[in-house]
Amino acid sequence: MNHNPKLTRRDFFKMSGAAAATLALGTGASAPANVQAATLSLGTHVKASLPKAKGPRLVVVGAGTSGLTIAKYAKKAYPRFDVVMVEKRDMYSSCFSSNLWYADLINLEFLANHSFLDAARNNHYIFFNATCTGLDRAGRKLMTNMGEIDYDYLVLAPGIDYDYSRIGVSDAESETLLRTDYPAGWTMPTEHVTIRDKIHGFDGGLFIQTVPGGNYRCLPAPYERACMIASYFKKNRIKGKVLVLDHNPDITIKAKGFHAAFDELYKDYIEYKPSAEIKGVDVAKKIIKTEFDSYRFDDAAIYPGVRGARIIETFGLVDPNSNQKEANIDGFKYHVIGDERVYVTGDSRPMPYSKSANTANTEGKYVAKVLAAHAQGKSINWESPRTLCYSMVNADPMEAISVDAGYAYDKKKKAFGFSSDTKLYENRDQAKGRATLEWARGIYRDLFA
C-alpha cells in the first residue's frame, strides 16, 4: 500500500490558492493601517460548527474567572451580542481556594463541581470546546482545532504561564522534571492533585514552598499554602517543617497577619527566609540554590516566575517593554494598542493589579461594559477593579485574614497603585474563616448561575 499519495497538478493549484489567500489575509490588505498582519495561521479554512451569529459576535477565549465574567456580563449589558466562549478544557476546577483542599477544609467537589455548559445555558451564550491555533486580526478570524470563527470582538483571557528561566532553569529536561515532580500549583488542576498527594503522603523532613518575585498569581497564596501544609503536619503529628523561600524582602501582602500566624501557630513547623532569590535547582539531588545558600529538600512545590500566557506571544500581542511578557493593551480600555476589536484581560494584562479571582471578576464586569459601549458607539469612564481576598491561616479552627483593595492612577507617575480606601484586616478570626468559604461560593454563583 502506498502511504505517500502523489501531489497532482490540480492539488498543487488548490494548495497554491489557499496559500495565496492566507498571504492576502496576512498582509492585512483590507485592514485598518494600524492593525498589524495576521500572526499565526494554522486554520483549515473550515468554519466552526456554530449557529449563524444573530448580532455582533463576541468571542471570549479562556473560561477562567475573567472570561466567564465577561461572557455573562457582556451579554447582560448588550443583549444583541452573540457570545461564544472558547475553552480548551472540558472540565472546570478553580485555582482559587485550592489551598484549602490540602488541609481538608473543602473537598474536590467544592472546586470542580461547576459546569461550563450550565454557565452557558444560564447566561445565554455558546460554550465551544476547542483549542486556539491562530489569529487573523485583519480578517477578524480566530482559528481553532475545531474550525475558524469570525468575530466582531475578541477577548483573550488566557491566564498565566510559568517562566522557569527566572529561577535559573533554562534547559528543557530540568524544566520538565520540575513541572512534573515539583509543580507550582497555580495553573492546571492536575497540579493541585499532585501537591495534595505530596502533603498527605509526606513522611517527614523538609518541604520547601518557594515564592517568586514580580507580579505573580495571587500574592498571599504561597504563604496561605505554607499555613495549610503546616496545619496538616501539626494535626497529624508529622515531623516535618515547611521552609518558605521568598524572593521578596518580606511577605508581599498581609505581612503582619502571616507573620503572626507563622510565629504563634506554627513556630515549630514553618521557617521563613526572605530575600531568597532562587538561582538554580538540582532536581536529581533535590537541592535549591539561592545567591548565598543551598537547601536540600525532601519534597517541594516550586513556584517559578510567571509571565503572560504564551498565546499572547504567539499572537504577537506582547508589550515589548514587559519583563513578564504581558499584553500590549490600553491600560484603561483593555484593547490591544491600535486594534479596538481585540482585548486582553485577566492575568495576562500588564497593569499591576493583583492576579487573583476577585480582581478578575470585578475587572471583567467593567470590560463587559466597555465592550457593550463600544458596540453602540459610546464610551464609559474607567472603573477600578476590586481585590477582596481572604487567606486562611488556621485550619482548626478555621481562621483567616483579609484585604479589600482598590486601585488608582497617578497622573504624575503615570502608574497604577493601591487606592486610598484600601484596607487590611490582619487579626485572624473565625468570622473571616467562615467568610473565606462564602466568598468562594459567591464567585462560583456569579460565574455559573
Side-chain angles (χ1 to χ4, degrees):
M1 182 182 291
N2 182 7
H3 293 283
N4 297 299
K6 293 180 179 178
L7 185 67
T8 66
R9 180 180 175 83
R10 184 179 180 184
D11 291 334
F12 174 81
F13 282 112
K14 285 171 67 178
M15 288 180 62
S16 299
T22 300
L23 184 61
L25 293 172
T27 57
S30 60
N34 57 355
V35 177
Q36 294 181 350
T39 54
L40 178 66
S41 189
L42 298 179
T44 60
H45 303 287
V46 174
K47 296 295 183 186
S49 181
L50 290 166
K52 185 178 179 181
K54 298 178 179 62
R57 175 152 279 175
L58 166 61
V59 176
V60 181
V61 175
T65 305
S66 178
L68 288 167
T69 302
I70 292 170
K72 174 178 178 175
Y73 283 92
K75 184 70 177 177
K76 279 181 174 285
Y78 189 49
R80 285 198 65 227
F81 268 144
D82 184 279
V83 181
V84 177
M85 165 64 75
V86 178
E87 169 59 45
K88 62 184 177 182
R89 297 173 296 169
D90 58 6
M91 282 286 292
Y92 176 88
S93 184
S94 70
C95 186
F96 64 83
S97 298
S98 58
N99 284 334
L100 308 185
W101 186 39
Y102 303 147
D104 291 332
L105 299 185
I106 58 172
N107 54 28
L108 185 57
E109 189 177 22
F110 187 94
L111 301 173
N113 189 25
H114 316 283
S115 167
F116 291 131
L117 301 179
D118 291 346
R121 184 178 59 253
N122 292 336
N123 296 294
H124 313 293
Y125 61 82
I126 297 170
F127 175 74
F128 191 67
N129 187 204
T131 299
C132 297
T133 58
L135 173 63
D136 170 14
R137 285 201 286 142
R140 293 183 193 164
K141 298 178 188 295
L142 178 72
M143 288 75 160
T144 81
N145 66 321
M146 299 297 288
E148 296 179 359
I149 307 173
D150 296 328
Y151 66 82
D152 294 286
Y153 293 92
L154 174 66
V155 174
L156 300 170
I160 61 163
D161 277 317
Y162 299 131
D163 184 353
Y164 282 87
S165 68
R166 289 172 57 189
I167 59 170
V169 176
S170 55
D171 65 289
E173 185 174 351
S174 295
E175 179 178 329
T176 300
L177 283 172
L178 282 173
R179 287 180 181 274
T180 305
D181 294 350
Y182 307 106
W186 272 281
T187 58
M188 299 183 293
T190 194
E191 294 178 294
H192 304 317
V193 177
T194 295
I195 292 172
R196 184 177 185 274
D197 286 347
K198 285 172 174 288
I199 296 166
H200 284 235
F202 196 60
D203 292 327
L206 190 65
F207 191 108
I208 289 183
Q209 172 64 62
T210 67
V211 185
N215 189 11
Y216 58 89
R217 175 171 273 182
C218 198
L219 293 181
Y223 312 108
E224 180 190 58
R225 181 187 288 171
C227 290
M228 293 297 95
I229 298 172
S231 176
Y232 185 84
F233 289 173
K234 186 177 178 180
K235 180 180 180 180
N236 293 280
R237 299 180 180 179
I238 295 171
K239 294 182 178 178
K241 176 173 281 190
V242 183
L243 175 60
V244 181
L245 294 180
D246 193 343
H247 175 110
N248 305 286
D250 197 359
I251 291 172
T252 51
I253 190 82
K254 309 173 197 170
K256 183 180 175 183
F258 279 116
H259 277 302
F262 289 179
D263 295 339
E264 297 166 9
L265 300 175
Y266 309 115
K267 189 174 182 180
D268 296 328
Y269 292 91
I270 292 180
E271 181 178 357
Y272 176 69
K273 293 275 188 184
S275 302
E277 181 179 356
I278 298 175
K279 295 294 188 181
V281 182
D282 187 329
V283 183
K285 294 180 180 178
K286 295 185 177 181
I287 294 175
I288 292 178
K289 303 168 187 173
T290 65
E291 188 173 6
F292 300 107
D293 297 293
S294 295
Y295 301 91
R296 192 185 183 287
F297 57 89
D298 295 288
D299 217 331
I302 298 175
Y303 195 176
V306 307
R307 47 161 293 169
R310 288 186 185 277
I311 191 175
I312 300 300
E313 185 175 22
T314 302
F315 286 176
L317 304 178
V318 167
D319 181 345
N321 298 315
S322 171
N323 60 6
Q324 294 197 170
K325 298 183 179 179
E326 293 154 333
N328 188 24
I329 60 173
D330 182 291
F332 297 98
K333 301 297 185 185
Y334 289 80
H335 63 73
V336 170
I337 299 300
D339 188 351
E340 296 189 21
R341 297 289 179 153
V342 178
Y343 295 69
V344 179
T345 66
D347 292 352
S348 280
R349 71 173 110 69
M351 293 81 88
Y353 311 145
S354 171
K355 297 180 186 292
S356 57
N358 204 89
T359 315
N361 180 244
T362 52
E363 174 189 86
K365 291 173 181 174
Y366 164 67
V367 174
K369 289 190 283 187
V370 171
L371 288 160
H374 192 280
Q376 298 172 82
K378 303 175 183 176
S379 63
I380 62 171
N381 294 328
W382 176 72
E383 297 175 12
S384 167
R386 200 78 197 173
T387 301
L388 177 61
C389 173
Y390 292 89
S391 299
M392 198 76 79
V393 294
N394 191 12
D396 187 21
M398 289 194 300
E399 294 178 319
I401 55 180
S402 67
V403 62
D404 181 3
Y407 302 88
Y409 184 72
D410 188 322
K411 291 183 179 178
K412 290 184 179 178
K413 296 180 180 177
K414 297 182 178 179
F416 291 95
F418 284 125
S419 58
S420 58
D421 62 347
T422 294
K423 294 179 181 177
L424 289 162
Y425 302 92
E426 300 190 83
N427 293 322
R428 65 180 182 272
D429 59 39
Q430 294 183 47
K432 288 194 277 292
R434 292 189 294 274
T436 303
L437 299 184
E438 287 307 312
W439 169 89
R441 291 187 181 106
I443 295 285
Y444 294 137
R445 281 194 298 273
D446 199 40
L447 301 182
F448 293 93

